[in-house]
Short mmCIF file of all heavy atoms in Angstrom, two decimals:
data_model
loop_
_atom_site.label_atom_id
_atom_site.label_comp_id
_atom_site.label_asym_id
_atom_site.label_seq_id
_atom_site.Cartn_x
_atom_site.Cartn_y
_atom_site.Cartn_z
N PHE A 1598 2.28 0.53 16.51
CA PHE A 1598 3.49 1.34 16.49
C PHE A 1598 4.33 1.05 15.24
O PHE A 1598 4.95 1.96 14.68
CB PHE A 1598 4.33 1.09 17.74
CG PHE A 1598 5.49 2.04 17.89
CD1 PHE A 1598 5.28 3.35 18.30
CD2 PHE A 1598 6.78 1.63 17.60
CE1 PHE A 1598 6.35 4.24 18.43
CE2 PHE A 1598 7.85 2.51 17.73
CZ PHE A 1598 7.64 3.81 18.14
N SER A 1599 4.32 -0.19 14.80
CA SER A 1599 5.03 -0.55 13.58
C SER A 1599 4.50 0.23 12.38
O SER A 1599 5.26 0.75 11.56
CB SER A 1599 4.92 -2.05 13.31
OG SER A 1599 5.54 -2.41 12.09
N VAL A 1600 3.17 0.34 12.30
CA VAL A 1600 2.55 1.12 11.21
C VAL A 1600 2.91 2.59 11.34
O VAL A 1600 3.30 3.25 10.36
CB VAL A 1600 1.02 0.95 11.23
CG1 VAL A 1600 0.36 1.90 10.23
CG2 VAL A 1600 0.63 -0.48 10.91
N LEU A 1601 2.80 3.12 12.55
CA LEU A 1601 3.09 4.54 12.77
C LEU A 1601 4.55 4.86 12.48
O LEU A 1601 4.87 5.91 11.92
CB LEU A 1601 2.75 4.93 14.21
CG LEU A 1601 1.27 4.79 14.61
CD1 LEU A 1601 1.08 5.12 16.08
CD2 LEU A 1601 0.39 5.69 13.74
N LEU A 1602 5.44 3.93 12.84
CA LEU A 1602 6.86 4.15 12.57
C LEU A 1602 7.13 4.18 11.07
O LEU A 1602 7.94 4.99 10.59
CB LEU A 1602 7.68 3.05 13.24
CG LEU A 1602 9.21 3.19 13.15
CD1 LEU A 1602 9.66 4.51 13.78
CD2 LEU A 1602 9.90 2.01 13.83
N GLN A 1603 6.46 3.31 10.32
CA GLN A 1603 6.62 3.33 8.86
C GLN A 1603 6.13 4.66 8.29
O GLN A 1603 6.78 5.24 7.40
CB GLN A 1603 5.83 2.17 8.24
CG GLN A 1603 6.40 0.79 8.54
CD GLN A 1603 5.56 -0.31 7.94
OE1 GLN A 1603 5.38 -0.37 6.72
NE2 GLN A 1603 5.04 -1.19 8.77
N LEU A 1604 5.00 5.15 8.79
CA LEU A 1604 4.48 6.43 8.32
C LEU A 1604 5.42 7.58 8.70
O LEU A 1604 5.58 8.54 7.95
CB LEU A 1604 3.08 6.67 8.89
CG LEU A 1604 1.99 5.70 8.41
CD1 LEU A 1604 0.68 5.99 9.13
CD2 LEU A 1604 1.79 5.80 6.90
N HIS A 1605 6.04 7.45 9.87
CA HIS A 1605 7.03 8.44 10.30
C HIS A 1605 8.23 8.45 9.34
O HIS A 1605 8.69 9.52 8.91
CB HIS A 1605 7.49 8.11 11.72
CG HIS A 1605 8.66 8.91 12.21
ND1 HIS A 1605 8.52 10.15 12.80
CD2 HIS A 1605 10.00 8.65 12.19
CE1 HIS A 1605 9.72 10.63 13.12
NE2 HIS A 1605 10.63 9.73 12.76
N MET A 1606 8.71 7.28 8.99
CA MET A 1606 9.87 7.17 8.11
C MET A 1606 9.55 7.66 6.70
O MET A 1606 10.42 8.17 5.99
CB MET A 1606 10.37 5.73 8.08
CG MET A 1606 10.91 5.24 9.43
SD MET A 1606 11.36 3.49 9.44
CE MET A 1606 12.79 3.52 8.35
N LEU A 1607 8.28 7.55 6.31
CA LEU A 1607 7.86 8.03 4.99
C LEU A 1607 7.56 9.53 4.99
O LEU A 1607 7.31 10.11 3.94
CB LEU A 1607 6.61 7.26 4.54
CG LEU A 1607 6.82 5.80 4.13
CD1 LEU A 1607 5.47 5.10 3.99
CD2 LEU A 1607 7.61 5.71 2.83
N GLY A 1608 7.56 10.13 6.17
CA GLY A 1608 7.29 11.56 6.26
C GLY A 1608 5.82 11.92 6.28
O GLY A 1608 5.45 13.09 6.14
N VAL A 1609 4.95 10.91 6.47
CA VAL A 1609 3.51 11.16 6.50
C VAL A 1609 3.10 11.82 7.82
O VAL A 1609 2.20 12.66 7.86
CB VAL A 1609 2.73 9.85 6.28
CG1 VAL A 1609 1.23 10.09 6.37
CG2 VAL A 1609 3.09 9.24 4.94
N LEU A 1610 3.74 11.42 8.90
CA LEU A 1610 3.52 12.01 10.21
C LEU A 1610 4.85 12.03 10.95
O LEU A 1610 5.85 11.51 10.46
CB LEU A 1610 2.45 11.24 11.00
CG LEU A 1610 2.58 9.71 11.16
CD1 LEU A 1610 3.66 9.33 12.16
CD2 LEU A 1610 1.26 9.10 11.57
#
Side-chain angles (χ1 to χ4, degrees):
F1598 189 76
S1599 177
V1600 172
L1601 297 176
L1602 185 59
Q1603 291 178 60
L1604 294 176
H1605 171 86
M1606 295 175 69
L1607 288 168
V1609 177
L1610 52 74

